[in-house]
């Protein structure tokens, strides 16, 4: 009697074997449950291109909000005369910083530990994009402070100004926090202990994003924007709401320690 054996399929961590069925993420309500929606609604699928993470699920709302903010602020700014060399770069740099920071979050959000290679790739892009966003915010803040000094204007005379400086400071701390956890975990007592504080990096990151959005929205109430540019407050507020509405529903509760992960 001849016995036959069926060879087992190799385990491929970052892709689905051609003879296997794709795992049903809806059967994993704890690991992949988002803040809003059904489990698996905003989860990166095996073999899916990384750029798809940018608009997956409610991500398209964030992309719409970013576009609305750019149009609402940059069109009045760039068509206004005269163009002020120490003022115009500030909103351009800050809006670009918001764009880059939001894309960095959207890129990493849908990744899971079940696809470690995809998660690692997205984490690297996430880190570099956030470094770029921090440099953009820092440059924009430096330019507006230079403008105030050159024109003998008060440095802190609006909610927007206070929020801006506080946000850039927290963003710097957030980047340093994430860098030490990911690159130098020995600072936290080793890799295992560093992993335990990841959720606090995520909490702080979402908090900083809210501050960036609040700072952006408050710009529509500053004297210059309100008095001279004629920026649509409705457009700015709606853009801010859409960006937040695209990011926060996709939060995986497991990554925040609110569900088993």
């Amino acid at each position: 009697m001849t016995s036959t054996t069926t060879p087992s399929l190799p385990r491929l961590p970052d892709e689905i074997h051609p003879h296997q069925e794709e795992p049903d993420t809806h059967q994993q309500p704890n690991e992949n449950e988002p803040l809003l929606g059904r489990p698996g609604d905003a989860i990166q699928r095996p073999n899916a291109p990384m750029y798809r993470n940018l608009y997956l699920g409610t991500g398209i709302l964030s992309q719409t909000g970013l576009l609305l903010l750019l149009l609402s602020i940059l069109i009045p700014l760039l068509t206004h005369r005269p163009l002020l060399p120490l003022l115009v770069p500030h909103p351009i740099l800050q809006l670009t910083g918001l764009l880059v920071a939001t894309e960095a979050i959207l890129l990493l959000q849908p990744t899971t530990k079940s696809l470690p290679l995809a998660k690692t790739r997205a984490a690297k892009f996430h880190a570099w994009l956030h470094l770029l966003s921090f440099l953009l915010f820092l440059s924009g803040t430096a330019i507006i402070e230079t403008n105030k000094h050159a024109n003998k204007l008060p440095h802190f005379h609006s909610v927007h100004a206070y929020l801006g400086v506080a946000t850039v400071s927290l963003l710097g701390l957030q980047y340093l926090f994430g860098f030490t956890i990911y690159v130098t975990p020995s600072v936290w007592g080793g890799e295992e202990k560093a992993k335990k504080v990841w959720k606090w990096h995520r909490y702080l990151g979402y908090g900083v994003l809210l501050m960036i959005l609040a700072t952006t929205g408050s710009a529509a109430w500053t004297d210059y924007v309100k008095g001279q540019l004629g920026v649509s407050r409705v457009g700015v507020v709606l853009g801010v709401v859409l960006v937040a509405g695209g990011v926060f529903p996709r939060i995986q509760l497991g990554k925040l320690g609110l569900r088993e992960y």
Side-chain angles (χ1 to χ4, degrees), residues 18 38 50-51 69 77 89 94 125 133 181 183 212 228 255:
R38 299 173 302 171
M50 188 167 58
Y51 68 79
L69 283 171
L77 177 72
Q94 306 305 76
F125 276 97
S133 71
I181 295 174
V183 180
I212 294 173
Q228 298 190 43
K255 289 184 177 182

Side-chain angles (χ1 to χ4, degrees), residues 119-193:
K119 187 178 179 70
T120 299
R121 283 196 300 268
K124 290 179 179 178
F125 276 97
H126 176 85
W128 284 111
L129 287 173
H130 267 308
L131 176 58
L132 175 58
S133 71
F134 174 66
L135 294 176
L136 288 166
F137 284 127
L138 191 61
S139 299
T141 302
I143 284 176
I144 198 63
E145 290 302 315
T146 301
N147 175 67
K148 291 179 179 180
H149 178 76
N151 292 284
K152 297 181 173 54
L153 298 172
H155 289 270
F156 295 99
H157 70 290
S158 67
V159 172
H160 178 71
Y162 282 103
L163 281 174
V165 172
T167 300
V168 170
S169 301
L170 278 177
L171 192 62
L173 289 175
Q174 166 71 345
Y175 186 82
L176 182 62
F177 187 21
F179 179 85
T180 56
I181 295 174
Y182 192 73
V183 180
T184 59
S186 57
V187 172
W188 301 94
E191 187 173 341
E192 289 304 315
K193 290 184 178 179

Side-chain angles (χ1 to χ4, degrees), residues 48-256:
M50 188 167 58
Y51 68 79
R52 188 170 179 266
N53 293 357
L54 297 175
Y55 57 84
L56 190 63
T58 56
I60 191 63
L61 294 178
S62 291
Q63 305 299 347
T64 304
L66 290 168
L67 178 60
L68 182 58
L69 283 171
L70 291 172
L71 294 176
S72 297
I73 296 175
L74 292 186
I75 290 178
L77 177 72
L78 296 177
T79 56
H80 181 267
R81 293 295 181 272
L83 290 176
L84 304 177
L86 286 178
L87 182 64
V88 171
H90 170 71
I92 294 176
L93 287 167
Q94 306 305 76
L95 281 173
T96 307
L98 170 61
L99 171 66
V100 174
T102 305
E103 304 296 13
I105 294 171
L106 293 173
L107 199 65
L108 185 59
Q109 265 188 329
T111 62
T112 67
K113 62 183 180 180
S114 62
L115 299 174
L117 296 181
K119 187 178 179 70
T120 299
R121 283 196 300 268
K124 290 179 179 178
F125 276 97
H126 176 85
W128 284 111
L129 287 173
H130 267 308
L131 176 58
L132 175 58
S133 71
F134 174 66
L135 294 176
L136 288 166
F137 284 127
L138 191 61
S139 299
T141 302
I143 284 176
I144 198 63
E145 290 302 315
T146 301
N147 175 67
K148 291 179 179 180
H149 178 76
N151 292 284
K152 297 181 173 54
L153 298 172
H155 289 270
F156 295 99
H157 70 290
S158 67
V159 172
H160 178 71
Y162 282 103
L163 281 174
V165 172
T167 300
V168 170
S169 301
L170 278 177
L171 192 62
L173 289 175
Q174 166 71 345
Y175 186 82
L176 182 62
F177 187 21
F179 179 85
T180 56
I181 295 174
Y182 192 73
V183 180
T184 59
S186 57
V187 172
W188 301 94
E191 187 173 341
E192 289 304 315
K193 290 184 178 179
K195 287 179 179 179
K196 293 180 180 179
V197 297
W198 260 123
K199 69 176 182 179
W200 300 112
H201 174 70
R202 295 185 178 104
Y203 274 114
L204 181 57
Y206 288 122
V208 172
L209 177 62
L210 284 177
M211 289 194 66
I212 294 173
L213 292 173
T215 304
T216 302
S218 67
W221 275 262
T222 58
D223 294 338
Y224 180 74
V225 173
K226 179 174 60 176
Q228 298 190 43
L229 293 187
V231 170
S232 169
R233 290 180 179 176
V234 173
V236 172
V237 172
L238 181 58
V240 165
V241 170
L242 285 173
V243 173
V247 170
F248 285 88
R250 302 197 329 169
I251 294 175
Q252 294 179 44
L253 298 182
K255 289 184 177 182
L256 295 182

